[in-house]
Amino acid sequence: MMTEPERAALLAATPRQLFIDGHFCDAADGRTFATLNPATGEMLAEIASAGKAEIDRAVNAARRAHEQERWRGMTPARRSRIMWRIGELIEEHAEKLAVLESLDNGKPAAGALNIDLPQAAQHFFYHAGWCTKLEGETMPVSWPRHLAYTLREPVGVVGQIIPWNYPMIMAARNIAPALAGGNCLVLKPSEETSLTALYLARLIAEAGVPEGVVNIVPGLGAEAGAAIAEHHGIDRIFFTGGHRTARAIIAASAGNFKQLTMELGGKTPFIVYPDADIDAAVDAAVMGGFTNQGQNCCAVTRLYVHDAIREDFVARAVAKTEALKMGNGLETGTALGPLISKAHLERVCGFIAIAEAEGGRIVTGGTRPEGPGNFISPAIVDNVADNATIAREEIFGPVIATFGFTGEGEVIARANASPYGLAASIWTQDLSRAHEVARRLNVGSVWTNCFSRFDAAAPWGGVKASGYGTGIGAHALDEYTRPKAVWIDTRTGEAAKMLG
């Protein structure tokens, strides 16, 4: 996938500036931050770093575009065609974007090309269709000879703060529904992975999105992210990330009563009953736990296997795990790349050490190879207690904790005991059981005899500490739009005066 000179040329041609009001520009004070290749530790680029002044410029640009109706004033059909074109451009540039994603994030480029980029394009294709389908309604009211109807209007200017684990998917799934709802936006990608978002900005401009409608502002969370959270010109914030940042955003949003949508992580239970298709379940558990190096909010982190099949299941999972190739994401056959940063690597290693100290038995993985890069072999930890640290806290790395169970009610209670409630997976051939367990699990999504199924049409969001609201599918349009009630008195003027 591209030669080394081709990759170097691509990197050199990729924008490194802020995208504000339809133009690439530097920060006013010239500040930049470095983005590193997690597979080698080498610097990829210096990227312009937005501070409070740049966020103010971006929000003001979005506000002007909104008030001048540069986007919402277009016909829905025209907006739909522009959004569809963005999806086509993502497909046309997919190989370049996949290489950039691998360089910046570390993930295997083949996976980015075959999974991430098609999903990113799909969000624009799907939401393009909503531009012509956002309708108001009429309703019967108790006032005689009055017409009451609703208009479905955009929220206004939205702020979007996205993480580093799926940069292109996260950018697309935030931008697409915002545009479908007629909004203007300011998006801050993670400072760890800003390159593909800036490349996407160029495609958005090429597709014909007017100036100021989409603004992409890389920067540090404590500066750019905080400025977005506090800004009175932003009407709603969509955030994906950790609890500490979420609490700061919630506090800052009180200044102008911003609405919030938050996805805050998970601790996915993966429940396997004795009648399950064991081969399929093993494959799904291993890939669900280690795809994207486990840096996934819905990664398999709590593996509950019925005692009748547990020993065999864990043995098969270990064998499959040890067959995975770990290495640079640009190398052919790589299944697992490096973790995003050295700091995150140390954090994951810390969890593994705590697991051992608390009595967990590492049956495979958990070691760091010689050489550069933020690599750690995927770990499976057995003999884990329900109250162990790795059973309760989100690791966001390639670590699966295994548990046994016997009773159905028992495992449901244990699965629900987590403070998180994002997703779960059930494996059984008994469909009555599957429906009942799915109903009783307190999570936002349940996969039955499958794992990690996503589509732009399906809602995605959590409960409890996993956040609130959804940013995908038809339900997302409820958060990117709001109803306005309009009343018309249809009586003649004189009759209206008499009846008050």
Side-chain angles (χ1 to χ4, degrees), residues 155-169:
V155 168
V157 175
V158 296
Q160 301 171 329
I161 303 173
I162 64 173
W164 44 258
N165 57 334
Y166 288 94
M168 269 299 294
I169 290 177

Side-chain angles (χ1 to χ4, degrees), residues 16-176:
R16 306 175 186 202
Q17 296 172 295
L18 313 173
F19 185 71
I20 299 175
D21 209 8
H23 304 280
F24 287 101
C25 59
D26 293 324
D29 59 5
R31 282 190 304 170
T32 63
F33 62 86
T35 186
L36 307 179
N37 183 337
T40 64
E42 298 172 351
M43 187 177 77
L44 292 171
E46 288 279 353
I47 295 176
S49 183
K52 189 172 183 178
E54 288 73 34
I55 297 302
D56 193 52
R57 284 171 50 204
V59 173
N60 289 341
R63 180 60 60 186
R64 282 194 304 273
H66 180 68
E67 292 176 354
Q68 294 172 7
E69 299 192 356
R70 298 179 197 168
W71 182 246
R72 61 176 170 148
M74 281 187 185
T75 65
R78 175 61 180 156
R79 284 189 276 122
S80 178
R81 287 196 297 271
I82 291 173
M83 289 186 61
W84 191 273
R85 181 58 184 151
I86 297 173
E88 290 178 332
L89 287 169
I90 290 172
E91 289 184 331
E92 291 170 17
H93 292 253
E95 183 177 355
K96 293 179 180 179
L97 286 164
V99 169
L100 284 176
E101 202 84 321
S102 182
L103 288 169
D104 211 12
N105 169 276
K107 67 174 60 192
L113 182 63
N114 296 317
I115 299 173
D116 297 31
L117 274 305
Q119 280 195 31
Q122 183 195 51
H123 282 289
F124 284 99
F125 293 142
Y126 172 81
H127 285 100
W130 274 108
C131 294
T132 56
K133 298 172 184 66
L134 294 176
E135 302 171 341
E137 58 188 353
T138 60
M139 64 283 295
V141 292
S142 57
W143 291 79
R145 296 181 63 184
H146 279 67
L147 170 66
Y149 65 91
T150 60
L151 298 173
R152 198 168 179 186
E153 298 188 331
V155 168
V157 175
V158 296
Q160 301 171 329
I161 303 173
I162 64 173
W164 44 258
N165 57 334
Y166 288 94
M168 269 299 294
I169 290 177
M170 296 304 298
R173 86 176 206 191
N174 276 268
I175 295 171

Side-chain angles (χ1 to χ4, degrees), residues 189-234:
S190 168
E191 57 266 38
E192 303 280 6
T193 53
S194 297
L195 291 176
T196 48
L198 292 173
Y199 196 105
L200 178 61
R202 181 183 286 168
L203 302 184
I204 287 170
E206 181 180 339
V209 175
E211 294 178 355
V213 173
V214 174
N215 303 273
I216 297 180
V217 283
L220 305 182
E223 298 173 0
I228 289 173
E230 295 167 358
H231 206 290
H232 285 205
I234 289 178

Side-chain angles (χ1 to χ4, degrees), residues 418-429:
S418 170
Y420 292 97
L422 186 59
S425 185
I426 308 163
W427 290 78
T428 178
Q429 298 302 311

